[in-house]
Amino acid sequence: MADEFFSQAQAEMRAAELRLTARRYGGIAIGVALVALIGVGGWQWQVHARHQAQARASGQYFTAMEALQAEQPDAALRARTEKESIATLTALAADAPGATRSFAALRLAQLLAGKGDVAGARKAWQGVIDNPDADPTLHSLAQALSLNSHVDDKDPAGLRAGYEQLSGRGGPWRAFAQEGLAMLDLRSDATAAQHEEARKILIQLSQSPDAPDGMRQRVSILLQTFDGAG
């Protein structure tokens, strides 16, 4: 489940990053055109400054990502590059304009989670969740990743509410949210009624065209544990 989830998350992030790249260069052209055609003025300069800030932030983001993805000759250089990239992403996640803020926070969370800093990753995800200007897809991705990081919590009430909210929102993470709900209903302390609810969810996922192939295979195996499941 984790590999498939992160694979889809990476694909969604990459597609969104490509859109950001287009806006990055387009934003520079728009800002220059506004200054040239409309002339100098308070409003015009604010627009120009905003586009310049967005271009600068996205440039810093992509530079950090390229450094992280580049081959490093030794462990010391790799560690220094990671430290510098984390510092850049942390700054961008705090106050970068536009979508760059959410991208930086999500990539920062990925790095921190990989280093075992779950608390730091959760803080970065929460930054996207709390950002009213975040792209809806990135907002849902951050919520899904945050929810999954709490899957072993002893009290599943808040986790269930989060999965239900994400499931009701639709989009590319709906199937994962439904699978999360099914897993909660299959916990060792779940009731017979919850087991039956899990069975219903799993049947829906096994037949859903929106569920990834790997997920449908997983739920089909789980369904075999229920008497009478098809």
Side-chain angles (χ1 to χ4, degrees):
M1 176 180 176
D3 290 344
E4 182 180 14
F5 180 86
F6 282 107
S7 176
Q8 182 167 342
Q10 291 278 20
E12 292 285 341
M13 281 286 291
R14 183 56 183 157
E17 284 171 347
L18 290 174
R19 293 194 294 272
L20 178 63
T21 303
R23 289 198 297 271
R24 170 188 175 190
Y25 294 108
I28 297 173
I30 291 172
V32 173
L34 282 172
V35 173
L37 293 174
I38 301 177
V40 178
W43 180 82
Q44 292 90 339
W45 277 111
Q46 286 179 13
V47 173
H48 178 66
R50 183 166 63 250
H51 282 296
Q52 291 289 75
Q54 290 173 343
R56 185 164 52 251
S58 60
Q60 293 172 343
Y61 172 80
F62 283 108
T63 297
M65 293 309 302
E66 288 169 2
L68 285 170
Q69 295 166 4
E71 293 186 8
Q72 305 294 348
D74 57 66
L77 182 57
R78 184 165 55 253
R80 186 168 73 248
T81 298
E82 184 179 79
K83 182 179 180 180
E84 292 172 350
S85 296
I86 287 177
T88 298
L89 293 174
T90 299
L92 292 173
D95 58 14
T100 304
R101 178 177 172 184
S102 295
F103 284 118
L106 288 167
R107 290 300 189 183
L108 173 63
Q110 182 183 18
L111 283 172
L112 295 177
K115 294 168 65 67
D117 185 1
V118 178
R122 288 173 176 170
K123 181 179 179 180
W125 289 321
Q126 194 62 44
V128 181
I129 295 170
D130 293 340
N131 181 5
D133 298 323
D135 178 90
T137 298
L138 300 182
H139 180 280
S140 294
L141 171 57
Q143 184 178 9
L145 290 167
S146 180
L147 287 169
N148 284 356
S149 75
H150 289 279
V151 72
D152 294 325
D153 287 2
K154 293 182 178 180
D155 182 6
L159 190 60
R160 183 180 300 278
Y163 277 131
E164 288 175 346
Q165 182 187 52
L166 187 60
S167 175
R169 190 179 303 156
W173 312 113
R174 183 169 184 263
F176 286 99
Q178 291 176 318
E179 186 179 26
L181 286 171
M183 294 303 99
L184 290 180
D185 286 335
L186 291 176
R187 289 166 64 113
S188 59
D189 57 350
T191 66
Q194 288 176 321
H195 285 175
E196 181 58 26
E197 180 62 24
R199 178 179 180 276
K200 293 177 181 178
I201 294 174
L202 293 173
I203 290 175
Q204 292 173 354
L205 287 174
S206 70
Q207 300 170 350
S208 172
D210 297 327
D213 289 341
M215 180 182 293
R216 287 199 294 269
Q217 293 174 4
R218 283 197 305 276
V219 300
S220 294
I221 293 173
L222 282 172
L223 281 170
Q224 293 176 15
T225 66
F226 291 93
D227 292 336

